């Protein structure tokens, strides 16, 4: 009897919390977070996961794995709650997850289980064994279709270069068609043309989706391993930092000025900030002052999540992301990246 009473109350709370930014406008949050090596303690055949085994270089045992799951679930459940207390994000793209096993364990953690979080994941060919996934709250986002588009090079010398594909999830948010492309582009150990190639492939996916249905609202998110100012993002993907610069074939990048003008980012290297973790949007997310008729989802604002527990509180690296390890020393931290969130209004 009591369960039957609590469920309607829970969904009523979600509805009330989603209408708090402006009178008569519903608010939704979408996030991305690089979880920094969320591995279980078992070997996956064909994957280079040997460092993250009990006898590996990180001595990755059950204690560390359970702590990592706890820390990640805390950070994920807090994303979006600055504007939507108790609700958080409708969906969150994640990078550096090993397999479906870790996603099952992650969504079983109390903070995510309480919101009934589900996930979308397709095993990829990355040589390290890390994939992208999409976590989502099924009371806010409904999944209709899932595709994993591979990263591939046209150069014969790269025929054995396997990295993360582009997880493309089509669904409904606030009764509108929304497609999310979750990315983790080639690392900085590879030259910039590899990330330019990733941008080219993602742009083709985005353009094809819009050609099929111009009303489809596209979000490209991920750890791009490039800043908003780099050629892959600014030139190839054509993600512009000013709304009035965004044309039909472009995307809008709300993180450009956060890095360029505010000089802050999502990860720190040698005392300087980079902003590799980005969420960029097709032009139909933008309100350019035009009369659009029926109420529709529009971009409102964006945020780098800087909770105190995500940051080093003292020492040489104070104020930077508190990661899981420093070298081989276990810090019981979170990630070397900070989460990012965009807020949408309807």
């Amino acid at each position: 009897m009591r369960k039957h009473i609590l469920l309607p109350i829970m969904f009523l709370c979600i509805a009330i919390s989603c209408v708090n930014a402006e009178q008569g406008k519903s608010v939704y949050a979408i996030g991305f977070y690089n979880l920094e090596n969320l591995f279980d303690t078992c070997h996956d055949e064909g994957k280079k996961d040997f460092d993250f085994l009990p006898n590996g270089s990180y001595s990755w045992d059950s204690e560390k794995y359970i702590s990592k799951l706890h820390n990640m679930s805390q950070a994920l459940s807090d994303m979006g709650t600055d504007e939507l207390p108790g609700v958080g994000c409708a969906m969150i793209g994640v990078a550096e997850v090993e397999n479906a096993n870790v996603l099952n364990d992650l969504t079983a953690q109390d903070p995510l289980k309480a919101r009934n979080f589900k996930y979308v994941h397709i095993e990829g060919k990355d040589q390290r064994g890390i994939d992208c996934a999409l976590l989502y709250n099924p009371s806010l986002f409904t999944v209709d279709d899932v595709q994993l588009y591979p990263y591939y090079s046209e150069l014969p010398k790269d025929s054995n270069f396997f990295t993360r594909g582009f997880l493309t999830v089509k669904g409904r948010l606030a009764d509108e068609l929304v497609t999310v492309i979750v990315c983790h582009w080639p690392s900085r150990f590879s030259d910039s043309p590899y990330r330019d190639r990733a941008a080219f492939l993602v742009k083709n996916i985005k353009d094809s989706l819009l050609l099929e249905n111009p009303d489809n609202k596209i979000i490209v998110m991920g750890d791009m391993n490039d800043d908003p100012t780099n050629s892959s993002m600014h030139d190839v993907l054509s993600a512009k930092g000013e709304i009035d610069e965004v044309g039909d074939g472009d995307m809008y990048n709300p993180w450009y000025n956060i890095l360029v003008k505010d000089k802050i980012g999502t990860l720190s290297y040698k005392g300087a900030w980079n902003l590799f973790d980005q969420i960029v949007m097709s032009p139909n997310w933008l309100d350019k002052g035009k009369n659009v008729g029926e109420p529709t989802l529009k971009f409102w604002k964006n945020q780098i999540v800087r909770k105190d527990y995500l940051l080093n509180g003292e020492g040489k690296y104070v104020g930077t992301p508190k990661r899981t390890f420093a070298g081989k020393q276990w810090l019981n931290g979170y990630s070397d990246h900070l989460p990012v969130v965009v807020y949408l209004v309807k």
Side-chain angles (χ1 to χ4, degrees), residues 91 140-144 170-178:
M91 53 184 133
L140 299 172
F141 179 71
T142 303
V143 174
D144 293 333
K170 186 184 296 185
R172 309 291 300 186
L173 177 68
D175 295 322
E176 296 188 36
L177 177 60
V178 173

Side-chain angles (χ1 to χ4, degrees), residues 91 141-142 144-145 147 149 168-173 175-181 204-220 248 250-251 280-286 296-298:
M91 53 184 133
F141 179 71
T142 303
D144 293 333
D145 183 64
Q147 301 286 336
Y149 294 94
T168 304
V169 183
K170 186 184 296 185
R172 309 291 300 186
L173 177 68
D175 295 322
E176 296 188 36
L177 177 60
V178 173
T179 299
V180 179
I181 305 172
N204 283 348
I205 298 169
K206 182 264 297 182
D207 289 345
S208 295
L209 290 167
L210 288 175
L211 186 63
E212 177 185 281
N213 186 345
D215 293 329
N216 194 349
K217 291 184 170 175
I218 314 294
I219 283 179
V220 175
D248 289 341
D250 302 324
M251 303 197 80
V280 302
M281 292 159 282
S282 53
N284 50 7
W285 286 103
L286 303 178
T296 183
L297 281 168
K298 294 295 181 183

Side-chain angles (χ1 to χ4, degrees), residues 102-162:
V102 302
L103 289 163
N104 286 328
D105 291 344
L106 180 64
T107 53
Q109 299 296 303
D110 287 341
L112 299 179
K113 184 179 179 181
R115 297 184 199 162
N116 195 31
F117 259 79
K118 307 299 182 184
Y119 69 85
V120 172
H121 166 256
I122 297 176
E123 187 75 24
K125 293 185 177 182
D126 180 77
Q127 292 170 325
R128 282 181 58 208
I130 53 174
D131 297 321
C132 294
L134 183 73
L135 309 179
Y136 67 96
N137 184 332
S139 67
L140 299 172
F141 179 71
T142 303
V143 174
D144 293 333
D145 183 64
V146 182
Q147 301 286 336
L148 180 65
Y149 294 94
Y151 178 102
Y152 63 92
S153 173
E154 294 181 320
L155 300 176
K157 71 180 181 70
D158 293 328
S159 60
N160 292 320
F161 181 78
F162 296 114

